[in-house]
Amino acid sequence: MENLRFRALADTFNRRRVDYKMPDKKPSEYFGEMTFNHSVMREYLTDESYRKVMSAIEKGTRIDREAADQVAASMKAWSISKGATHYTHWFHPLTGSTAEKHDSFVNPDKGGKAIENFRGNELIQQEPDASSFPHGGIRNTFEARGYTAWDPTSPAFILGNTLCIPTIFVSYTGEALDYKTPLLKASYALDQAAKEVCRMFNGEVNRVYATLGWEQEYFLVDRSLFIARPDLVLTGRTLFGHASAKDQQLSDHYFGTIPDRVKEFMKEFETEAHKLGIPVKTRHNEVAPNQFECAPVYEEVNIAVDHNQLIMYLMEIAARNHNFEVLFHEKPFANINGSGKHNNWSLATDKGHNLFAPGKTPKENLRFVTFLVNVLKAVSEYEDLIRASISSAGNDHRLGGHEAPPAIISVFIGTQLTQLLDNIERSSDKSVLNDELKAGLNISVPNIPEILLDNTDRNRTSPFAFTGNKFEFRAVGSSANCAKPMISLNTILAKQLSLFKKEVEAALLVDSDFENAVYQVIKKYIIASKRIRFEGNNYSEEWVVEAEKRGLSNIKTTPGTLNTLTDKRIVALFEETKVLTERELAARRLIRLEKYTKKVQIESRVLGDMATNHIIPIAIRYQNTLIENVKGLKEILDLQTYGKVSKNELDIITNISHHISEIKRGVDKMIEQRKVANRIEDEYEQAVAYDQQVRITGEQIRRHIDKLELLVDDELWPLPKYRELLFIR
Ligand code: ADP
Ligand code: MG
């Protein structure tokens, strides 16, 4: 079945494997060795400077120049001892990837020699000429300067020969041009608000921070086959391709044995990750063929975000070393599962408590219920923002498709918690909190010790599920920077918690019993946020209807989600919490609209070129062979036999003709639609035109190409097919 030309190509490539040298030590012995972490700082810094850095990390105080000079000198000494020759500020511009500009440590001195130099001011701040990073109108060319500034809360690390210093990236006028700046601000707002609420319950909390444990899904393809598909190379996904006769229908890939070649690749990037202090822990096959997942132990949100960006880079490098290409696109192949990046999210205190963790049973813990209900209230209020925080051209293809959450945001909390919240809703007496809830279900399997099912049964269809002691936000796309959803979640919760505190204080004026006051406010919130809770099947048609009745938004594609960012309510939210200004939000909306338009535009051009240059010529060539054959038959057969025999072949010929002319017509139409769209000045209207016209026409063209793929001689078909791309040997 398989096209042997492509397999031979893959095999030739696969023989040229790079040998990766595994360290001859245990992971615990090299974990974090390439990071300027706390223990390295302890060793290299004076007590005074160490104390200042720790206070910056834990309390957000500023580091003075003197300490910065000391840190810079230590970083230099440490990184040179590890072979570093260059340094760079490493940041997350709004392109969605990371950026770096390397400078050498070497500086010429007067005597014609050189010395290695790295001073505090080079550590703290740089001024990259960054006029070609997206800024959404914030930065005019005459003020093209941007500043990067050191983020001491995320440890510097060495990649190759370069010391990388995590930084924020802001404009000359101080506006954020990156993801890290608002993420740090959102974390600060959340810390302030959550701490205050914790203190209402008991005094002993100095810091509250969000934790994030991401689960990164991805596909691997043989690099040789990847290179043979211009659509994969240029857009990250296949723009056409008929379904493989076998793909995921047998569910034989999920949690299956990981192929050896893939395991070697995993070992390499995991080892590199461990050296950089990224605590990767879990690896397994995913549902679709060639789809895999990697997950670390959770960390403080800012570090987890940096680590996720970093691991995607490490995976790309390792993949190439093993003649693979890693695909982070949310939907590289139509009609099979796409890739997401579940964001497991919780709140931790400096005292080591998880604020989303129930006590022995959920009802025992008023504080737990408080935080849970505040999340429900916040998500209910800002479901449109949460939806906007995960929209992208790639994720549009995934949401609502094969085992992916729909575009409707709802929260699943499980039967037991639902029962508890329903009881609170029905009763004005806080004693319902003391009702014994049905204990976990007993599973009796002979010879197996008694197992208690999790208090929260799992609902894999929910986009946002409470899973015992954390929320799992599953609608995030696999290529996304996690900061985007994390900024929104932390901000809405910060705002909600300060509101909660005010309402409890007001209730206390009426009834001075603290638990009563909390109970009354929670009860009100449970009622107000009821619409966001959904325990049923999120993939069902009934839910779409029900969600509409509840007034929940169901916006399927990116452009429609983005106007939320400049909605008055959202601007007020971000300004009040001091996370983003109106100008910054407007810029972000513009950047994302433009990015959407460009992505669809590129896909449309690639599709048009491939249809015209690859597909149509081959279809015509094959059609000519058939025509020659029919002519030949006419020469050698009597008329009656010819009539019978030629019928089938003539059918194929007309069929091919039909698809060719539909493809040609589609491409012409798509080009015309692009011309019209390109003249639209308003960025939103332009994105809508690309979404609703150009993209749709592209899908129509695809259908005809996929039909042709089944008709044309496999020997002639110029591109690897799904059945080749999806199976690693
Ligand atoms: P799955 O969802 O695939 O069943 P797990 O339950 O093992 O996976 O957990 C998934 C992720 O949840 C892991 O990355 C883990 O680090 C993360 N996680 C666990 N506890 C927390 C927490 N308190 N905060 C954030 N993430 C967490
Ligand atoms: Mg999960």
Side-chain angles (χ1 to χ4, degrees):
M1 277 290 279
E2 199 172 35
N3 188 318
L4 291 178
R5 279 177 303 142
F6 291 122
R7 187 40 63 189
L9 189 63
D11 289 344
T12 325
F13 250 85
N14 295 343
R15 277 197 290 276
R16 294 192 294 133
R17 247 177 252 177
V18 173
D19 277 331
Y20 178 73
K21 202 173 158 330
M22 289 289 290
D24 44 14
K25 294 185 275 192
K26 286 186 293 194
S28 58
E29 288 167 335
Y30 57 79
F31 188 85
E33 71 176 17
M34 288 309 204
T35 63
F36 195 68
N37 55 27
H38 291 195
S39 60
V40 179
M41 281 198 273
R42 191 85 221 108
E43 184 185 328
Y44 276 78
L45 296 178
T46 59
D47 284 351
E48 173 77 358
S49 302
Y50 179 74
R51 204 180 40 73
K52 284 178 183 163
V53 174
M54 291 317 286
S55 158
I57 294 173
E58 281 159 13
K59 304 202 185 93
T61 53
R62 281 186 202 281
I63 296 176
D64 59 46
R65 279 288 154 145
E66 204 184 316
D69 275 335
Q70 233 252 316
V71 175
S74 324
M75 268 190 199
K76 184 188 78 178
W78 168 78
S79 60
I80 288 176
S81 79
K82 299 261 178 197
T85 54
H86 287 66
Y87 65 92
T88 181
H89 278 195
W90 182 83
F91 54 102
H92 308 206
L94 296 168
T95 47
S97 50
T98 53
E100 46 199 87
K101 172 183 147 244
H102 299 204
D103 282 309
S104 167
F105 283 126
V106 150
N107 270 313
D109 71 3
K110 287 200 189 88
K113 297 204 159 203
I115 51 162
E116 272 85 18
N117 235 339
F118 183 55
R119 276 189 289 268
N121 53 353
E122 289 158 320
L123 163 69
I124 291 181
Q125 181 179 321
Q126 284 193 357
E127 242 183 76
D129 174 25
S131 43
S132 36
F133 287 110
H135 54 80
I138 277 181
R139 212 183 32 214
N140 300 322
T141 35
F142 63 83
E143 48 182 45
R145 271 176 300 176
Y147 289 115
T148 53
W150 176 36
D151 166 18
T153 63
S154 181
F157 55 91
I158 298 172
L159 260 191
N161 295 321
T162 304
L163 167 68
C164 300
I165 299 150
T167 61
I168 58 163
F169 179 43
V170 295
S171 75
Y172 179 61
T173 41
E175 273 110 353
L177 296 171
D178 68 345
Y179 289 114
K180 196 188 257 289
T181 308
L183 179 65
L184 292 173
K185 288 180 173 178
S187 295
Y188 181 76
L190 181 63
D191 177 24
Q192 298 299 312
K195 214 158 45 187
E196 300 261 319
V197 171
C198 285
R199 284 177 184 157
M200 294 172 90
F201 288 87
N202 57 22
E204 273 300 286
V205 171
N206 300 316
R207 186 176 167 233
V208 176
Y209 57 94
T211 52
L212 165 65
W214 40 262
E215 300 165 57
Q216 179 72 55
E217 292 182 340
Y218 59 96
F219 279 86
L220 286 177
V221 284
D222 275 318
R223 190 157 162 73
S224 53
L225 304 181
F226 168 83
I227 289 170
R229 293 279 312 213
D231 48 354
L232 274 180
V233 173
L234 296 175
T235 74
R237 72 179 182 106
T238 53
L239 298 176
F240 48 81
H242 196 278
S244 167
K246 171 186 187 294
D247 46 48
Q248 65 186 43
Q249 58 280 65
L250 298 176
S251 298
D252 50 356
H253 190 251
Y254 193 52
F255 280 25
T257 317
I258 300 171
D260 282 346
R261 270 182 70 206
V262 176
K263 224 180 309 176
E264 289 307 309
F265 148 79
M266 288 174 169
K267 269 193 221 156
E268 175 173 335
F269 85 75
E270 287 171 356
T271 305
E272 289 302 303
H274 285 156
K275 287 184 192 164
L276 290 169
I278 307 173
V280 283
K281 194 167 176 70
T282 310
R283 49 159 107 129
H284 61 76
N285 286 4
E286 264 302 327
V287 176
N290 277 8
Q291 193 188 26
F292 307 92
E293 181 184 296
C294 148
V297 176
Y298 66 92
E299 299 175 280
E300 189 275 326
V301 62
N302 177 38
I303 294 178
V305 168
D306 281 355
H307 281 172
N308 180 244
Q309 289 295 113
L310 203 47
I311 208 158
M312 293 202 285
Y313 174 78
L314 297 179
M315 286 163 87
E316 279 171 1
I317 303 288
R320 283 176 203 157
N321 286 346
H322 294 268
N323 300 310
F324 290 128
E325 189 73 24
V326 58
L327 306 179
F328 290 120
H329 194 285
E330 284 75 11
K331 197 79 175 178
F333 304 100
N335 298 318
I336 57 171
N337 279 20
S339 301
K341 176 148 54 195
H342 295 178
N343 277 208
N344 295 274
W345 171 71
S346 188
L347 297 189
T349 71
D350 61 330
K351 299 288 174 261
H353 291 122
N354 176 349
L355 295 173
F356 293 158
K360 272 211 210 97
T361 58
K363 54 140 177 102
E364 281 178 12
N365 200 331
L366 187 60
R367 187 178 70 178
F368 160 68
V369 177
T370 294
F371 277 92
L372 177 85
V373 169
N374 272 287
V375 172
L376 293 175
K377 174 82 176 349
V379 177
S380 173
E381 206 105 315
Y382 295 106
E383 49 95 20
D384 50 348
L385 174 66
I386 297 306
R387 168 70 183 96
S389 77
I390 48 121
S391 65
S392 69
N395 215 15
D396 286 355
H397 292 284
R398 167 178 170 258
L399 294 181
H402 289 252
E403 294 195 39
I408 309 164
I409 300 295
S410 68
V411 188
F412 167 86
I413 56 170
T415 14
Q416 211 171 12
L417 287 170
T418 300
Q419 203 179 322
L420 177 67
L421 298 197
D422 287 349
N423 287 346
I424 298 176
E425 185 188 334
R426 276 193 295 268
S427 170
S428 54
D429 178 1
K430 71 168 192 275
S431 69
V432 292
L433 281 169
N434 303 323
D435 285 353
E436 269 308 320
L437 282 170
K438 203 170 62 178
L441 285 174
N442 260 330
I443 306 183
S444 58
V445 184
N447 307 326
I448 301 280
E450 184 178 279
I451 304 167
L452 281 182
L453 276 187
D454 200 343
N455 274 353
T456 54
D457 28 339
R458 295 275 179 120
N459 177 339
R460 307 302 303 186
T461 70
S462 175
F464 200 102
F466 184 72
T467 51
N469 59 3
K470 61 191 191 301
F471 283 94
E472 182 169 345
F473 189 18
R474 303 196 183 112
V476 186
S478 49
S479 70
N481 183 320
C482 301
K484 243 166 37 175
M486 286 295 125
I487 292 165
S488 293
L489 276 177
N490 293 335
T491 304
I492 63 171
L493 188 55
K495 154 99 199 221
Q496 178 52 50
L497 288 171
S498 22
L499 195 69
F500 171 79
K501 179 169 173 273
K502 282 196 200 111
E503 296 205 48
V504 171
E505 280 164 356
L508 280 171
L509 297 176
V510 184
D511 177 348
S512 64
D513 180 292
F514 174 68
E515 289 192 3
N516 274 345
V518 170
Y519 186 80
Q520 292 316 324
V521 177
I522 285 177
K523 185 176 152 76
K524 195 173 89 177
Y525 286 179
I526 290 172
I527 296 167
S529 64
K530 215 172 167 186
R531 66 170 193 154
I532 204 71
R533 273 158 50 198
F534 182 62
E535 301 287 304
N537 179 3
N538 284 256
Y539 300 163
S540 68
E541 273 308 307
E542 296 83 71
W543 171 230
V544 176
V545 178
E546 167 68 17
E548 195 180 341
K549 278 196 209 132
R550 296 188 188 186
L552 295 173
S553 56
N554 181 11
I555 304 174
K556 298 236 165 49
T557 52
T558 301
T561 67
L562 294 177
N563 288 337
T564 307
L565 298 184
T566 43
D567 188 276
K568 269 208 211 94
R569 219 167 26 97
I570 301 303
V571 172
L573 162 78
F574 280 111
E575 295 216 316
E576 224 172 275
T577 47
K578 299 196 167 56
V579 174
L580 287 164
T581 64
E582 182 166 16
R583 200 161 121 94
E584 288 169 328
L585 284 161
R588 264 152 225 261
R589 173 179 168 273
L590 273 193
I591 289 167
R592 290 180 60 190
L593 285 169
E594 279 171 6
K595 185 170 174 184
Y596 179 84
T597 295
K598 282 179 189 156
K599 288 236 159 169
V600 181
Q601 186 180 57
I602 291 169
E603 288 186 352
S604 156
R605 286 178 179 160
V606 174
L607 177 64
D609 291 352
M610 290 177 78
T612 312
N613 303 330
H614 286 77
I615 308 300
I616 294 182
I618 291 300
I620 291 176
R621 201 191 302 171
Y622 180 57
Q623 198 185 28
N624 282 340
T625 319
L626 295 176
I627 292 170
E628 280 308 310
N629 181 260
V630 174
K631 280 192 200 148
L633 290 176
K634 196 169 190 176
E635 275 171 28
I636 59 167
L637 296 176
D638 64 77
L639 211 57
Q640 201 190 3
T641 328
Y642 167 74
K644 275 190 215 148
V645 173
S646 64
K647 166 111 181 43
N648 290 336
E649 281 172 57
L650 288 173
D651 277 353
I652 302 178
I653 293 170
T654 10
N655 223 342
I656 293 177
S657 280
H658 165 69
H659 294 304
I660 291 176
S661 59
E662 285 301 309
I663 292 169
K664 171 81 176 64
R665 213 169 55 86
V667 171
D668 291 343
K669 179 171 154 196
M670 190 169 67
I671 292 172
E672 202 41 51
Q673 287 172 329
R674 284 209 306 265
K675 277 190 195 151
V676 175
N678 292 346
R679 282 195 294 268
I680 302 176
E681 272 180 26
D682 179 84
E683 290 86 353
Y684 171 69
E685 295 301 335
Q686 187 176 46
V688 169
Y690 266 94
D691 174 23
Q692 287 171 16
Q693 299 185 18
V694 179
R695 186 180 61 81
I696 302 286
T697 309
E699 279 173 12
Q700 288 158 356
I701 297 172
R702 176 197 181 125
R703 275 197 287 280
H704 292 286
I705 298 182
D706 290 356
K707 286 271 164 28
L708 273 182
E709 189 186 303
L710 293 183
L711 290 171
V712 172
D713 181 358
D714 192 56
E715 281 300 310
L716 295 177
W717 195 254
L719 301 156
K721 298 179 178 177
Y722 274 23
R723 63 164 187 249
E724 284 129 9
L725 292 167
L726 280 173
F727 297 93
I728 285 169
R729 301 295 154 78

